[in-house]
Amino acid sequence: MLTALRQGKARVQVSDAVLQGDDLAGAVGAVAQRLKGLRRVAVVAPPTLEAIVAIAGAVEAGVTVVTLNPQSGATERDYVLKDSAPDLVLDGVDLNARASLPDEPPADDSPALIIYTSGTTGPPKGAVVPRRAITANVDALAEAWAWSPEDVLGHALPIFHVHGLVLGTLGPLRVGSALHHTGRFAPAPGGTLYFAVPTMWSRVPEPAAFASARLLVSGSAALPVPVFERFVAQAGQRFAERYGLTETLINTAARADGDRRPGLVGPPLPGVEVRITSGQGSGGEDFTGDEFGLVEVRGPNVFSGYLGNPAATAAALAPDGWFSTGDLGLFEPDGQLRIVGRQSTDLIKSGGYKIGAGEIENALLAHPAVAEAAVIGVPDDDLGQRIVAIVVAQETVEAPELVDHVAATLAPHKRPREVRFVTSLPRNQLGKVQKKLIT
Ligand code: MLC
Ligand code: AMP
């Protein structure tokens, strides 16, 4: 799968640490030889050379990788490890070890990654991403963006999610472009191609610093139009926006040689089918023209299901291969997709992370001072949406204590940015919280 790495043509730099060529292939080979024969490993994945070598080694050994957010709290970590039951948890590897890479496992339906992604209620689900999804998607993106070994890819994304992992880590190891993970998001020396979430792009103090790049890519959440226009004016750059999900990897992308317009996420990638429906699944009426509806996707990029959760898989993935994204969108006359919103208000996108309201509500309810809790996403200039918790307390408690409780039990990015105390939550006659009445 990681073709360039196998050919000794990959280069990875994380902050000031570099590993390249045969040294990189040898270090990955040493991990692969150590893991060979195992079924599944969990890798603690901070953005480090060690974690990149660990993930690449497992992937090349044909072992399924469960990626762990290094900042996950005990509740989240315990859940993921119990649910995925790995043979081993890998937290750091020896970068000085060298061995040859084992024969490449066939690029088929065998699972390469299990990535945990939030749903509307309950704990996150493990999306099983097969090897063919990764190879097909990286190759389609390479074609769309003219991504080549000549590129130097710069990013600062977390490497436990699709954006920073499949596109930002496995991508360059397959394509052969150098990878420079900068730690904090900033221009990389000689950088030609950049991947980032809208929050990172909107925080860039001097867009002109990216003027010499070949292509700037934004994704994982909607890029605000003013940010797009600021980069046009100050850097002469028009972003290529692309649209994806953990379950499908990337579905549509503006092309390097195509029309790149604010608010549009491009046409479908080669080999990917995208349709807009009324939401009735494969039996539903397909929408055409300027109506918006539910976005559905089919292709080799689509996952194989949620780990150990056939009911959730069946609810999202039809037997004929169409995956229901839960996003609302429409096709522009020129064939580019516009995402206009999401079906569920219980899925919050904050800083490019998808966060389920139910998971945070459950974490808050586990705090002894909390009697009732409702979590909503509120529009936010910096994060896209920010998490706000509405809480009915049964004991005296200060907001920072509840914020820290969520950060420590789940993960810091899931913490509420604001806590509002109320005496009761608005409920309907069946007792269901009416989030639309909370603003
Ligand atoms: C703050 N911190 C706390 C805390 N308060 N830690 C513990 N307890 C508390 N109460 C820490 C944080 O951990 C972090 O530490 C620092 O303070 C700042 O936190 P933040 O404000 O939450 O984050 P910030 O640094 O502002 O990050 C913004 C961001 C981040 C954009 C860099 O949200 C991000 O990396 N987003 C990328 C998400 C992503 O990759 N999504 C792709 C999903 S795949 P520290 O040490 O970390 O600085 C997908 C498919 C697709 O969507 O299409 O791509
Ligand atoms: P995740 O579950 O973290 O993979 O998030 C997937 C979701 O991110 C999608 O369902 C969309 O709602 C959102 N998303 C990804 N890319 C874009 C984009 N370019 N524009 C708007 N929303 C996006």
Side-chain angles (χ1 to χ4, degrees), residues 117 219-222 242-246 265 327 339 342 349 354:
T117 183
S220 301
R242 94 294 178 289
Y243 158 69
L245 288 89
T246 304
V265 294
D327 291 310
I339 299 296
R342 264 191 310 281
K349 261 273 161 167
K354 184 159 86 174

Side-chain angles (χ1 to χ4, degrees), residues 14-392:
V14 180
S15 300
D16 292 330
V18 183
L19 206 50
Q20 59 187 325
D22 292 338
D23 277 334
L24 179 57
V28 170
V31 175
Q33 295 295 354
R34 181 178 150 205
L35 299 181
K36 206 164 163 34
L38 296 182
R39 186 183 58 121
R40 192 178 289 164
V41 298
V43 178
V44 181
T48 59
L49 269 182
E50 284 86 348
I52 290 173
V53 166
I55 292 169
V59 163
E60 287 303 284
V63 179
T64 310
V65 177
V66 181
T67 51
L68 297 175
N69 176 352
Q71 293 186 320
S72 278
T75 306
E76 182 171 291
R77 178 76 61 95
D78 289 351
Y79 176 80
V80 169
L81 291 179
K82 190 160 176 284
D83 192 59
S84 61
D87 302 318
L88 189 75
V89 178
L90 212 50
D91 188 1
V93 295
D94 177 7
L95 288 181
N96 295 313
R98 298 285 181 271
S100 58
L101 279 155
D103 287 344
E104 182 156 13
D108 58 8
D109 265 359
S110 66
L113 305 171
I114 298 174
I115 304 177
Y116 277 79
T117 183
S118 295
T120 49
T121 56
K125 294 170 284 189
V128 181
V129 180
R131 298 173 70 84
R132 50 110 178 126
I134 298 169
T135 52
N137 210 228
V138 169
D139 292 352
L141 289 172
E143 188 182 329
W145 295 334
W147 184 5
S148 82
E150 308 303 313
D151 279 310
V152 175
L153 169 65
H155 76 80
L157 293 157
I159 64 162
F160 49 85
H161 269 315
V162 161
H163 197 166
L165 174 61
V166 177
L167 278 67
T169 300
L170 303 181
L173 296 179
R174 180 170 175 82
V175 171
S177 62
L179 162 61
H180 189 157
H181 193 291
T182 53
R184 298 241 161 239
F185 187 56
T192 62
L193 178 65
Y194 289 91
F195 297 162
V197 297
T199 302
M200 293 174 178
W201 288 121
S202 79
R203 288 181 183 180
V204 167
E206 300 278 349
F210 289 89
S212 63
R214 186 177 68 75
L215 192 67
L216 309 185
V217 179
S218 179
S220 301
L223 182 73
V225 173
V227 178
F228 190 107
E229 287 171 347
R230 196 166 141 247
F231 273 75
V232 175
Q234 297 180 27
Q237 292 281 5
R238 302 183 73 79
F239 284 102
E241 291 184 62
R242 94 294 178 289
Y243 158 69
L245 288 89
T246 304
E247 292 89 336
T248 64
L249 309 183
I250 307 307
N251 302 305
T252 69
R255 306 297 202 260
D257 63 356
D259 185 24
R260 308 204 291 265
R261 283 191 283 148
L264 301 186
V265 294
L269 285 171
V272 180
E273 294 175 89
V274 179
R275 70 181 183 185
I276 309 294
T277 75
S278 56
Q280 305 302 313
S282 52
E285 178 195 350
D286 281 12
F287 284 162
T288 52
D290 56 5
E291 277 177 290
F292 74 82
L294 260 180
V295 180
E296 295 190 348
V297 177
R298 183 163 72 174
N301 53 313
V302 174
F303 77 153
S304 27
Y306 297 109
L307 186 70
N309 197 339
T313 304
L317 185 60
D320 60 2
W322 284 101
F323 175 80
S324 182
T325 63
D327 291 310
L328 302 171
L330 60 87
F331 275 109
E332 295 283 317
D334 66 355
Q336 294 208 54
L337 186 67
R338 181 188 292 278
I339 299 296
V340 298
R342 264 191 310 281
Q343 209 177 16
S344 171
T345 51
D346 280 335
L347 285 177
I348 300 164
K349 261 273 161 167
S350 190
Y353 284 116
K354 184 159 86 174
I355 302 156
E359 191 187 5
I360 305 171
E361 287 160 5
N362 289 341
L364 287 165
L365 288 169
H367 189 285
V370 176
E372 296 176 58
V375 165
I376 56 173
V378 171
D380 185 276
D381 284 345
D382 178 45
L383 296 167
Q385 284 182 295
R386 70 173 180 280
I387 299 169
V388 175
I390 321 293
V391 168
V392 178

Side-chain angles (χ1 to χ4, degrees), residues 390-416:
I390 321 293
V391 168
V392 178
Q394 56 196 0
E395 290 170 18
T396 306
V397 65
E398 300 291 332
E401 184 176 332
L402 296 182
V403 170
D404 289 346
H405 169 74
V406 176
T409 55
L410 298 179
H413 72 264
K414 294 182 179 173
R415 72 190 188 277

